[in-house]
Amino acid sequence: MASSGHSRNFYMPPYRVHPKHRDILNEIQTTTEPSTAQPVKTQYHQAYPRNYNFIMDNKEVCKQNPFLVLMVPVAPNNVAARDAIRQTWSKESLVQGEVVITLFMLGLSKGGDVGKLQQENAQYHDLIQSDFMDSYINLTIKTMVIMDWLATRCPTAAYAMKVDSDMFLNIDNLVIMLQKPGIPTTNYLTGMLMTNRPVVRSKNSKWYVSEELYPDPQYPTYTLGMGYVFSNDLPEKFVEVSKSIKPFNIEDAYIGMCMKKLGFTPTSPPDPSQFQAYNAKYNRCQFSKVITFILGSSQELVNYWTDLKKPGPPC
């Protein structure tokens, strides 16, 4: 959940929605399943990703049959974060012998420069944009749109990771972890596990969720949103099951709810110490062993990566 927060000390509606979608929100659509006599009611809601459309796409990148797809939610105007990632952990497309691709997921921004984004995409072919409003409160929509893209555009990939734009990602260690014998290829979700986490009811918190949106006092086990890894069969299942799960604005806990409803639980990584949130200071030896760290700036990412990759043993 590391993103620029819009913390307010008053109640906000859970979603800001693109005006053309307002008329379909909360509409009950009745669909009749051919195999049963009973009509099945499905509630389509704001976070259901097929309410939205991709207005910039790069679906051909998956013709390479990637082993791993890194999906990075990022604000449209945050070019610095994208450039730092392109210079560091997304630079190599072949990692430990496996094809890895990195894509950036954007929504719409007020006053966003469409021409600049198109130019950037023409240069790098790594932007995907959908027509929801890009804001902290809409992270659940953004995450579900990522899942929809993976399910519809890249179903042959083995694994995917949702990874925030302010992350240090040791991509070699991640691929080595996924290559380990015994790592599941289906229904697998791993990262930094959050267990028995209470729902924040304080209205002045960035993570506030009302009882109306989420009545239970605590979340099911979920993986911290900074970076979680999953087998690529799950996105289609998440999109499908999300139809029946009321959306709320804590995207990683929402994915935890999807897992619970599907009857699955997130798995602890082989070495949980590799998924770190914060570190006190840079240490080359330590950074050579982890998979994730949350950083303070894009410049830090470039500096740490450059140091980590210099010749000589890190420890």
Side-chain angles (χ1 to χ4, degrees), residues 97-273:
E98 305 283 7
V99 175
V100 178
I101 59 174
T102 302
L103 296 159
F104 299 98
M105 177 62 76
L106 293 62
L108 298 172
S109 66
K110 290 193 181 91
D113 191 327
V114 177
K116 270 191 182 155
L117 285 176
Q118 286 172 339
Q119 222 173 330
E120 185 184 343
N121 188 49
Q123 186 176 353
Y124 297 107
H125 305 287
D126 59 4
L127 301 186
I128 298 165
Q129 190 175 29
S130 175
D131 57 359
F132 60 90
M133 281 312 292
D134 202 305
S135 64
Y136 186 77
I137 210 83
N138 278 354
L139 269 180
T140 300
I141 295 176
K142 200 170 196 175
T143 301
M144 292 311 297
V145 168
I146 282 173
M147 297 303 172
D148 185 38
W149 193 89
L150 288 166
T152 56
R153 308 291 201 266
C154 212
T156 58
Y159 295 96
M161 181 182 196
K162 179 255 162 182
V163 55
D164 284 344
S165 62
D166 57 354
M167 297 300 296
F168 173 88
L169 178 68
N170 192 319
I171 183 67
D172 285 278
N173 288 349
L174 173 59
V175 172
I176 289 165
M177 181 196 90
L178 290 172
Q179 288 173 327
K180 284 184 192 297
I183 293 289
T185 53
T186 58
N187 305 328
Y188 181 62
L189 171 67
T190 194
M192 185 187 272
L193 294 194
M194 301 280 110
T195 48
N196 304 320
R197 289 296 161 128
V199 180
V200 177
R201 300 296 190 201
S202 163
K203 289 189 181 182
N204 58 4
S205 168
K206 174 169 147 178
W207 298 293
Y208 166 69
V209 175
S210 68
E211 287 189 29
E212 183 197 355
L213 279 182
Y214 191 88
D216 293 348
Q218 68 180 35
Y219 294 120
T221 299
Y222 64 93
T223 44
L224 195 62
M226 60 172 187
Y228 47 82
V229 187
F230 44 94
S231 53
N232 201 38
D233 62 310
L234 280 176
E236 175 62 47
K237 295 171 187 175
F238 290 154
V239 170
E240 196 53 36
V241 80
S242 78
K243 291 178 187 176
S244 59
I245 303 173
K246 193 172 185 175
F248 53 94
N249 49 301
I250 309 298
E251 58 90 13
D252 44 10
Y254 186 78
I255 292 295
M257 276 299 295
C258 291
M259 285 290 280
K260 184 182 177 183
K261 188 105 182 188
L262 288 164
F264 310 138
T265 46
T267 309
S268 185
D271 178 358
S273 73

Side-chain angles (χ1 to χ4, degrees), residues 62-86:
C62 283
K63 286 184 179 153
Q64 308 166 57
N65 283 337
F67 173 72
L68 173 65
V69 185
L70 303 170
M71 300 293 284
V72 186
V74 61
N77 62 356
N78 198 351
V79 186
R82 294 193 288 275
D83 280 343
I85 289 166
R86 289 179 186 124

Side-chain angles (χ1 to χ4, degrees), residues 255-296:
I255 292 295
M257 276 299 295
C258 291
M259 285 290 280
K260 184 182 177 183
K261 188 105 182 188
L262 288 164
F264 310 138
T265 46
T267 309
S268 185
D271 178 358
S273 73
Q274 287 191 302
F275 285 85
Q276 298 275 344
Y278 296 97
N279 69 313
K281 59 184 189 300
Y282 174 74
N283 173 295
R284 189 172 180 228
C285 180
Q286 192 186 13
F287 271 67
S288 73
K289 294 174 180 173
V290 299
I291 289 172
T292 63
F293 265 134
I294 299 173
L295 299 181

